[in-house]
């Protein structure tokens, strides 16, 4: 029979506890476990934004195809203004929380992703809530 000293028992316990905690954290949030540095987290946030932006562009193009010329021009103007707002709002949030710090790109891209996902839902509702899907001809301005 092998007896451990109190110090060895405590070291073994702490090591096992740390291992179990790390495994539990990986199981709970596997994406956070991959990003180990701030730079990696910033890159993950940028990729998540790019994915959200791709989805927005798809929904935007589908909506444009359903509109007449006048409504298309108004949507384009609205989208240009919204992009300026999104980027300015994201810059504000990053500045407020991490001015000049290494977390600023993470906050900036998370804000852009969140705002982009909201805009995607808004444009998707116009597409599905409006009667454009059921009409034979493109949606008229003011309808």
């Amino acid at each position: 029979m092998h007896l451990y000293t109190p110090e060895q028992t405590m070291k073994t316990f702490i090591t096992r506890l740390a291992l179990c905690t790390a495994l539990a954290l990986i199981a709970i949030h596997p994406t956070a476990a991959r990003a180990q540095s701030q730079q990696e987290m910033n890159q993950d946030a940028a990729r998540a934004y790019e994915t959200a932006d791709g989805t927005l562009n798809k929904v935007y193009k589908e909506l444009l195809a359903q509109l007449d010329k006048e409504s298309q021009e108004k949507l384009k103007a609205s989208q240009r203004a919204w992009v300026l707002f999104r980027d300015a709002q994201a810059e504000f949030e990053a500045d407020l929380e991490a001015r000049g710090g290494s977390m600023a790109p993470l906050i900036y891209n998370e804000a852009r992703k969140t705002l982009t996902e909201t805009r995607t839902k808004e444009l998707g509702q116009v597409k599905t809530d409006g009667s454009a899907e059921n009409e034979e001809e493109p949606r008229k301005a003011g309808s």
Side-chain angles (χ1 to χ4, degrees), residues 45-61 79 82-83 86-87 109 112-117 119-120 123:
R47 280 189 292 274
Y49 160 71
E50 291 297 331
T51 299
D53 192 51
T55 303
L56 172 62
N57 287 328
K58 180 178 179 270
V59 170
Y60 172 77
K61 287 175 184 174
Q79 191 67 6
W82 177 83
V83 167
R86 178 202 59 200
D87 292 347
N109 281 309
R112 288 198 314 163
K113 175 184 157 289
T114 300
L115 291 166
T116 299
E117 289 170 341
R119 178 67 171 174
T120 301
L123 293 181

Side-chain angles (χ1 to χ4, degrees), residues 17-133:
L17 179 63
L19 179 60
C20 288
T21 302
L23 291 173
L25 288 173
I26 290 170
I28 291 170
H29 205 310
T31 56
R34 284 181 289 183
Q36 296 296 315
S37 68
Q38 187 62 54
Q39 183 179 10
E40 290 171 327
M41 290 187 284
N42 292 348
Q43 291 168 346
D44 285 351
R47 280 189 292 274
Y49 160 71
E50 291 297 331
T51 299
D53 192 51
T55 303
L56 172 62
N57 287 328
K58 180 178 179 270
V59 170
Y60 172 77
K61 287 175 184 174
E62 289 171 358
L63 179 57
L64 266 179
Q66 297 175 8
L67 301 174
D68 65 16
K69 289 287 184 195
E70 186 177 347
S71 292
Q72 286 178 353
E73 292 307 313
K74 289 179 180 180
L75 177 60
K76 288 176 185 178
S78 170
Q79 191 67 6
R80 282 191 297 270
W82 177 83
V83 167
L84 292 173
F85 162 77
R86 178 202 59 200
D87 292 347
Q89 180 66 26
E91 286 178 22
F92 169 68
E93 290 180 27
D95 181 69
L96 194 62
E97 293 185 43
R99 179 178 293 166
S102 62
M103 281 182 54
L106 172 75
I107 296 165
Y108 175 74
N109 281 309
E110 283 184 349
R112 288 198 314 163
K113 175 184 157 289
T114 300
L115 291 166
T116 299
E117 289 170 341
T118 300
R119 178 67 171 174
T120 301
K121 288 177 188 170
E122 291 169 353
L123 293 181
Q125 287 173 347
V126 169
K127 189 174 92 172
T128 58
D129 288 350
S131 56
E133 279 189 350

